[in-house]
Amino acid sequence: PGAEVKEKPPITNPEQATKALFKFRPVREDIDELQRLLTLRADPNAEIPEGSISPLMNVSMFAPLSRVVAMRKLLLAHGAILTKDDKEY
């Protein structure tokens, strides 16, 4: 109650989709949003912005347990590469 839902700006190119992927919050956003970003050609292997983590690590650490496997599979299906850190987590 009282919280406004911000409408997301439209994504018109892969660069914007990639930026949105690194802002993706798996605890609040669902697999449909992750699919949307990847369909818009977000790059799950893009250079990780300072202070951020890889999309795979992000979903591994913060997605609800019921969604972790599905979100990881989706990222891998869209070309995400498991790094040493991802494998160890």
Side-chain angles (χ1 to χ4, degrees):
E4 292 183 31
V5 176
K6 288 185 179 180
E7 191 167 317
K8 295 179 183 179
I11 294 173
T12 59
N13 61 55
E15 182 180 323
Q16 290 174 342
T18 299
K19 286 181 182 179
L21 178 62
F22 280 95
K23 292 179 181 178
F24 178 75
R25 299 295 172 247
V27 73
R28 292 183 292 179
E29 297 174 283
D30 61 21
I31 197 162
D32 291 335
E33 176 60 9
L34 181 58
Q35 174 68 58
R36 181 179 85 90
L37 296 174
L38 293 167
T39 299
L40 291 167
R41 299 188 10 215
D43 181 358
N45 301 309
E47 184 176 332
I48 299 170
E50 188 173 327
S52 193
I53 57 177
S54 74
L56 277 170
M57 185 65 74
N58 186 26
V59 300
S60 295
M61 292 176 65
F62 299 110
L65 288 177
S66 62
R67 293 189 270 184
V68 171
V69 171
M71 286 184 170
R72 283 180 58 92
K73 282 183 179 180
L74 185 58
L75 285 162
L76 291 168
H78 282 268
I81 297 169
L82 282 168
T83 65
K84 180 183 172 201
D85 291 337
D86 293 326
K87 290 176 185 176
E88 290 177 0
Y89 187 80

